[in-house]
Amino acid sequence: MNRSAASPHHLLMVMFDEVQLLDVTGPLDVYAAANEYGGNYRLSTASLDGKPVTTTGGVQLVPDLALEDVDSRIDTLLIPGRPDWWAAVSDRPLIEHISRIATDPKTRTVAAICAGAFPLAATGLLDGRRAATHWRLAADLAARYPAIDVDKDSIFVRDGRMITSAGITAGIDLTLALVETDLGAEVARAAAKHLVVFMARPGGQSQFSVRQTAKYGTDSVLRQVLDDITADPRDDHSLTTMAARAGVSERHLTRLFRAETGMSAAQFVEQIRLEAAQALLESGSDPLDSVARASGFGSVETLRRVFHRLLGVTPGAYRDRFRTTGR
């Protein structure tokens, strides 16, 4: 439901030492841009004891007030992250203030950016909900807080009044979505154009992450099979051929793949080929049919199908987006 621009909307950004600078400034700049196009956002920042904080980049930020002094209505609470998330979740006063403000009946939306999902999770308010965080931290969030359904690919996830985002710049995507909810698509689009960013970024986090996530186990037979796949993604890596090369049954090799990598043989091969194609697209200008052959996909059609299914973008769009920032 859209909210009238005439009604002030109070935003509070929590700050603490070693916070990611862009986690703080990115969302605040989105709201400031929205104010240029009819928004009426009141922006505030707060830290423990009201003391300045130092970001990961060494920049010092001076808050408007102390968290303990926050007692007025907060429409949206924003929680950034720090890379060493365990330090944030171990800060009991910080977690208690986040919990107090987030559970206030007047607080309508609670948003966590990147590793900010960890201090929010420490309050217990994400239990039983879906949540996102930086792809590198998704496994840590799931392990530390098993009651949370961690979405490791989405740019941001909204579950009720809780919204969480992926890494760093995804906080901008999250904030644009909140502006659209508050003021409508036209204002959100104007703010996105003002900042020269996507209003809705194509694809998910998997386009940024290394897809070779399999853990090499202790089985020497499987290690050799995995090494063969990685060494030459173009080779014949059907289950029948790999089992014959390894001198084991297809059933046994299937069990080894599942136990050691958590994937089927076909999934592992596909991901290695995807990584090879990504590397070729990022580093060269070969036509797509050459990339398809060199990475083992064989045809451009197969290459496009896999990119769309696993990354949510076409190979051409991937190359344009990740090869260079030059135009």
Side-chain angles (χ1 to χ4, degrees), residues 65-118:
L65 71 164
L67 279 170
E68 48 266 42
D69 293 334
V70 176
D71 56 6
S72 59
R73 172 175 180 151
I74 302 298
D75 291 292
T76 300
L77 177 66
L78 299 159
I79 307 162
R82 58 182 291 175
D84 53 344
W85 56 264
W86 52 92
V89 302
S90 299
D91 190 334
R92 293 317 307 169
L94 175 66
I95 303 305
E96 288 168 3
H97 282 300
I98 290 173
S99 180
R100 174 179 62 83
I101 300 168
T103 55
D104 189 307
K106 297 187 293 291
T107 302
R108 298 192 298 114
T109 302
V110 179
I113 300 102
C114 192
F118 286 86

Side-chain angles (χ1 to χ4, degrees), residues 100-311:
R100 174 179 62 83
I101 300 168
T103 55
D104 189 307
K106 297 187 293 291
T107 302
R108 298 192 298 114
T109 302
V110 179
I113 300 102
C114 192
F118 286 86
L120 180 56
T123 68
L125 294 174
L126 289 180
D127 288 358
R129 298 178 183 270
R130 286 177 62 239
T133 190
H134 193 289
W135 62 268
R136 285 187 182 274
L137 303 177
D140 290 338
L141 184 64
R144 178 70 178 245
Y145 302 102
I148 299 174
D149 179 10
V150 178
D151 185 332
K152 65 181 181 180
D153 190 54
S154 293
I155 297 297
F156 63 86
V157 170
R158 193 194 303 258
D159 191 328
R161 65 190 191 93
M162 304 289 166
I163 183 167
T164 51
S165 81
I168 311 173
T169 59
I172 294 173
D173 300 78
L174 173 152
T175 313
L176 285 168
L178 293 179
V179 169
E180 182 175 8
T181 298
D182 293 336
L183 301 171
E186 186 175 346
V187 174
R189 191 175 298 112
K193 288 181 178 179
H194 181 91
L195 296 169
V196 197
V197 296
F198 287 116
M199 180 170 169
R201 186 190 316 209
Q205 287 196 83
S206 55
Q207 61 188 300
F208 301 98
S209 63
V210 178
R211 298 298 289 172
Q212 189 179 343
T213 55
K215 52 184 185 297
Y216 284 68
T218 58
D219 188 276
S220 59
V221 171
L222 183 65
R223 275 205 310 274
Q224 185 58 56
V225 172
L226 299 183
D227 288 343
D228 288 343
I229 298 168
T230 304
D232 187 2
R234 298 168 298 178
D235 203 355
D236 178 4
H237 297 303
S238 66
L239 181 62
T240 300
T241 300
M242 290 190 295
R245 282 200 302 254
V248 297
S249 70
E250 293 180 30
R251 173 179 284 185
H252 182 60
L253 187 59
T254 297
R255 284 198 297 265
L256 287 177
F257 264 98
R258 285 294 183 190
E260 296 285 347
T261 73
M263 292 180 272
S264 69
Q267 287 172 326
F268 185 87
V269 171
E270 184 176 67
Q271 291 191 356
I272 291 298
R273 286 174 173 166
L274 178 63
E275 285 188 338
Q278 287 175 287
L280 289 168
L281 290 169
E282 290 167 8
S283 62
S285 56
D286 291 343
L288 292 183
D289 58 346
S290 297
V291 172
R293 289 194 302 271
S295 58
F297 285 115
S299 71
V300 174
E301 290 73 19
T302 301
L303 179 71
R304 287 187 176 126
R305 189 163 55 247
V306 172
F307 263 71
H308 186 269
R309 175 164 51 84
L310 295 182
L311 302 184

Side-chain angles (χ1 to χ4, degrees), residues 6-52:
S7 179
H9 186 123
H10 190 180
L11 304 157
L12 180 70
M13 174 68 76
V14 177
M15 300 197 306
F16 41 88
D17 278 330
E18 295 303 311
V19 72
Q20 292 269 13
L21 180 60
L22 196 55
D23 284 5
V24 175
T25 59
L28 292 180
D29 273 343
V30 171
Y31 284 120
N35 280 345
E36 296 289 325
Y37 298 94
N40 190 7
Y41 291 109
R42 176 186 164 203
L43 312 179
S44 299
T45 57
S47 71
L48 288 172
D49 301 323
K51 295 178 179 178

